[in-house]
Amino acid sequence: MSSSLELRHYKAPRWISTPAGQWAYEVNAEWRKQADGTFAVSERRLLLEEAEKLQKVATEAHQD
């Protein structure tokens, strides 16, 4: 029997190797969808930079 509180776990693609990228893939559906459709290295770098920013904002908001 599955619970409605059960968390989904997503397996990030291998190119998402940073902790922030792993975090963003797990918690942000929009970011995950964009990452799944990104193939160019330059776009992947931009997504990982965005993940760093998202994680920083989330961490700061959680500390307040």
Side-chain angles (χ1 to χ4, degrees):
M1 179 183 248
S2 90
S3 167
S4 61
L5 297 176
E6 194 174 297
L7 294 176
R8 272 194 159 162
H9 293 284
Y10 297 94
K11 182 157 173 48
R14 289 187 305 176
W15 66 266
I16 302 175
S17 57
T18 66
Q22 296 284 329
W23 171 84
Y25 197 87
E26 184 75 26
V27 302
N28 189 314
E30 184 179 330
W31 194 94
R32 182 172 49 254
K33 182 179 176 183
Q34 194 172 4
D36 285 341
T38 300
F39 299 100
V41 173
S42 59
E43 291 176 352
R44 289 176 174 181
R45 263 191 223 119
L46 291 174
L47 274 175
L48 291 174
E49 288 173 12
E50 181 184 345
E52 294 286 341
K53 292 174 188 173
L54 289 170
Q55 188 178 42
K56 183 178 179 183
V57 168
T59 301
E60 289 172 353
H62 184 69
Q63 291 177 351
D64 290 339

